[in-house]
Amino acid sequence: MRRFPNDFLWGGATAANQLEGAYNEGGKGLSTADMVKFVPREISCGKNTETVTYEEAIEIMNGKHDNEYYPKRWGIDFYHHYKEDIALMAEMGFRCFRMSINWTRIFPNGEEQEPNEEGLRFYDNVFDECLKYGIEPLVTLSHYETPLQLALKYNGWENRKMIEFFVHYAVTVFKRYRNKVKYWIPFNEINMSLHLPYTGGAIFIEKSQNELETIFQALHHQFIASALVTKKAREINPNFQIGSMLGMSLYYPKTNNPEDILAAQWANRVNYFFLDLLSKGEYPEYAFSYMKKKNIELKMMEEDLSLLRENTVDFNSFSYYYSLCTSAHPENEEGLIAFVPENEVIDEFHPRKVRNENLEVTDWGFQIDPIGLRVAINEVWDRYHKAIIVSENGLGTYDTLTIDKKIHDDYRIKYLKEHIQQMKICIDEGVKVIGYTSWGCIDIVSAGTSERSKRYGYIYVDSDDYGHGSMKRYKKDSFYWYQKVIKTNGEDLG
């Protein structure tokens, strides 16, 4: 039986906008994430709260909503706690820390020619702290942290000028950290622009005349930006490793009815649409067929397709939390999952999700499916045959801090253990999985709902949904479990 490689990248993952805080320190500008307020679950009904309109953004900037709470502005104050937090990661034995650079710390408004030196120094210090412990940084350039001014002025990635701004930012940090960072990911969950245009693409969709056309145009610009920064990265340091990052949406058919199987095949093609572009450098034909059917006129420059073809990624990475299920006739199904607004387009690229009765669900309705991770890894490996990093995986749920300051999270250990076991089987079968960075290795603000009570970490941060608490860090039971997993290189999962 194969074992995990000796240089396997065990670690954890975070995002600057959910972690750092200090939104108005060090010369940082406002990002799109800084405009998202907290909405209690009993009001939001569990829906994603990342929807901010153009008018609301202007109002927030003018102080009209100062009585509301914007958790991502405060995070868990990693900006001031990074030495303590990285030391805890080192104590667990981390070999890799996936994090993002907040674009607005480097270019506060996105259009500046000269970078903000104080922001650059901050990440110098973070990387130095990681390297002091032998922790390899895995750095995402854009993790839902687009400069707000670019969203307001250009409607984000709808505008091709965003490529120029993004490449300038990327080249700046590539040169600055060329000897400190080896692994880079241009865009986190690049497929999120399809489903959450504001979150993934900094798009105010109400300013668009053709919603689908705007989204696919923005995606095209992100694909070109990814190819260009991949090209620039290799010119700056040929040893750089550039990767894709997908929010894995693995679909099963509801039944063995051929129509359901076809519906699931189409749903899974949405994953391949993104990975084909990043890993193969080409648009799949079904994507052009879809765009033609939807009257989407994609504006391309003459050199775009060759840029994509000549600058593909070195590795593929993806987040995996759950599998999904779909049906050819969802209107006949009971137990539809995931909040779907009435005006959301439901078609091949926007499949309806139905309940899979074979799986348990988390407190947030995510279906728990460890075997699905194995299916996803195998599918991505078989199709692209490039190294894989499972760059996010974890259980978001409620934790209880006991009187003696302990957190007994056996439920999280069980979830992670079962997923790592499936990943290990893939390695045993010859798949080149080179890293595993579980999500939210320290409790951070939720991406989707801006909650703090939805906890993923091995490290508990004493702060509630409204930011009340001491911000003290406490080790959960899972901290010591993961420490043992890394120390034994995945051999002891007990």
Side-chain angles (χ1 to χ4, degrees):
M1 177 178 286
R2 289 183 177 90
R3 300 188 175 192
F4 285 97
N6 291 331
D7 57 354
F8 190 79
L9 296 172
W10 293 104
T14 59
N17 70 90
Q18 298 165 252
L19 175 79
E20 287 179 359
Y23 79 101
N24 56 357
E25 296 184 46
K28 179 185 176 301
L30 287 173
S31 77
T32 49
D34 292 324
M35 312 305 281
V36 179
K37 64 186 177 182
F38 169 65
V39 180
R41 291 190 82 199
E42 60 269 20
I43 297 174
S44 70
C45 300
K47 70 178 180 180
N48 193 291
T49 58
E50 291 276 9
T51 303
V52 178
T53 68
Y54 180 85
E55 294 300 328
E56 285 172 339
I58 296 296
E59 288 177 359
I60 293 168
M61 289 183 69
N62 291 332
K64 290 189 177 180
H65 298 271
D66 282 350
N67 61 328
E68 295 173 336
Y69 182 49
Y70 303 87
K72 290 174 184 174
R73 298 183 182 185
W74 310 107
I76 60 164
D77 198 23
F78 178 81
Y79 190 81
H80 297 106
H81 288 260
Y82 72 90
K83 289 188 177 182
E84 174 189 357
D85 293 341
I86 293 171
L88 286 166
M89 295 174 196
E91 186 180 341
M92 271 187 283
F94 274 28
R95 301 175 187 174
C96 180
F97 175 38
R98 181 178 171 232
M99 51 171 282
S100 65
I101 293 175
N102 197 319
W103 188 348
T104 60
R105 286 204 186 279
I106 312 303
F107 294 100
N109 294 313
E111 292 186 276
E112 297 90 346
Q113 283 301 304
E114 296 301 317
N116 171 33
E117 178 60 27
E118 194 169 352
L120 289 169
R121 278 200 307 271
F122 170 69
Y123 292 109
D124 266 319
N125 293 336
V126 171
F127 297 144
D128 288 345
E129 200 68 17
C130 287
L131 296 172
K132 180 175 79 175
Y133 294 107
I135 298 173
E136 186 88 56
L138 168 57
V139 178
T140 308
L141 291 173
S142 179
H143 196 136
Y144 310 154
E145 296 139 355
T146 306
L148 178 63
Q149 290 299 329
L150 297 184
L152 293 171
K153 186 173 180 180
Y154 299 100
N155 205 24
W157 283 96
E158 179 183 18
N159 194 308
R160 193 173 177 105
K161 284 188 71 66
M162 289 290 289
I163 299 173
E164 172 191 339
F165 302 137
F166 186 71
V167 171
H168 181 52
Y169 154 58
V171 168
T172 300
V173 297
F174 285 160
K175 289 180 176 179
R176 178 73 172 228
Y177 309 123
R178 61 177 297 167
N179 297 318
K180 297 183 181 184
V181 178
K182 176 182 178 182
Y183 294 95
W184 299 89
I185 295 171
F187 291 95
N188 175 73
E189 294 184 334
I190 193 168
N191 52 325
M192 283 305 106
S193 292
L194 178 64
H195 308 293
L196 300 169
Y198 176 81
T199 304
I203 296 166
F204 295 104
I205 205 66
E206 70 273 17
K207 294 178 71 67
S208 168
Q209 294 184 356
N210 183 329
E211 178 177 335
L212 282 176
E213 187 169 273
T214 294
I215 289 170
F216 276 84
Q217 190 64 63
L219 286 168
H220 179 72
H221 293 154
Q222 289 182 329
F223 293 138
I224 298 301
S226 181
L228 279 171
V229 301
T230 299
K231 180 181 179 181
K232 294 289 186 182
R234 289 169 179 154
E235 293 170 356
I236 293 167
N237 185 344
N239 293 319
F240 279 166
Q241 294 289 296
I242 313 298
S244 70
M245 204 298 193
L246 182 80
M248 178 57 71
S249 300
L250 174 69
Y251 281 88
Y252 300 137
K254 176 68 174 180
T255 70
N256 60 4
N257 184 316
E259 290 185 345
D260 282 0
I261 292 170
L262 189 61
Q265 183 185 57
W266 246 111
N268 285 316
R269 274 179 160 180
V270 179
N271 293 324
Y272 303 137
F273 165 68
F274 293 92
L275 292 182
D276 279 357
L277 277 153
L278 297 171
S279 204
K280 287 184 174 181
E282 61 186 32
Y283 272 90
E285 288 300 324
Y286 59 79
F288 285 128
S289 175
Y290 172 84
M291 286 187 274
K292 182 178 180 180
K293 184 172 69 173
K294 295 294 184 179
N295 297 314
I296 296 170
E297 295 185 15
L298 207 58
K299 298 181 180 66
M300 291 190 189
M301 295 186 70
E302 187 175 346
E303 68 272 17
D304 283 0
L305 294 181
S306 60
L307 268 171
L308 291 170
R309 187 169 55 250
E310 294 165 8
N311 299 283
T312 57
V313 296
D314 299 299
F315 65 89
N316 286 307
S317 77
F318 56 83
S319 59
Y320 177 85
Y321 297 95
Y322 47 79
S323 63
L324 296 167
C325 189
T326 194
S327 166
H329 303 286
E331 67 277 6
N332 298 331
E333 296 287 341
E334 294 183 1
L336 292 174
I337 67 169
F339 182 84
V340 180
E342 290 181 3
N343 63 345
E344 181 172 330
V345 179
I346 302 297
D347 60 18
E348 299 96 320
F349 268 76
H350 303 79
R352 201 68 176 259
K353 307 168 186 68
V354 301
R355 181 80 173 87
N356 186 339
E357 293 87 354
N358 297 297
L359 301 174
E360 297 180 4
V361 297
T362 71
D363 291 328
W364 271 260
F366 292 177
Q367 297 179 154
I368 301 173
D369 181 13
I371 292 176
L373 175 59
R374 183 176 161 195
V375 174
I377 290 173
N378 286 336
E379 290 284 340
V380 173
W381 174 253
D382 289 347
R383 191 175 180 95
Y384 305 104
H385 223 67
K386 292 186 177 185
I388 293 171
I389 295 176
V390 179
S391 49
E392 292 183 25
N393 174 238
L395 177 66
T397 191
Y398 297 107
D399 288 331
T400 301
L401 184 67
T402 63
I403 295 175
D404 58 350
K405 308 302 182 185
K406 305 291 183 185
I407 303 94
H408 303 301
D409 57 340
D410 291 346
Y411 40 86
R412 179 168 293 108
I413 293 171
K414 180 178 184 294
Y415 176 97
L416 294 167
K417 174 183 175 179
E418 290 176 352
H419 283 76
I420 292 173
Q421 284 173 331
Q422 295 298 320
M423 180 172 64
K424 190 173 183 179
I425 292 172
C426 292
I427 292 173
D428 182 49
E429 293 175 344
V431 180
K432 190 177 180 182
V433 184
I434 63 171
Y436 176 81
T437 54
S438 57
W439 179 249
C441 49
I442 181 169
D443 290 347
I444 54 180
V445 176
S446 168
T449 59
S450 293
E451 295 162 290
R452 297 171 188 266
S453 53
K454 184 183 181 184
R455 299 175 181 272
Y456 285 87
Y458 305 109
I459 302 163
Y460 184 95
V461 179
D462 182 25
S463 179
D464 68 13
D465 285 336
Y466 295 91
H468 304 137
S470 67
M471 283 288 183
K472 288 184 178 179
R473 276 62 165 156
Y474 298 99
K475 302 170 191 176
K476 304 179 188 180
D477 288 354
S478 58
F479 179 102
Y480 301 102
W481 172 81
Y482 198 45
Q483 182 184 60
K484 179 180 62 177
V485 170
I486 298 174
K487 184 177 181 179
T488 64
N489 200 30
E491 291 302 305
D492 188 351
L493 299 176

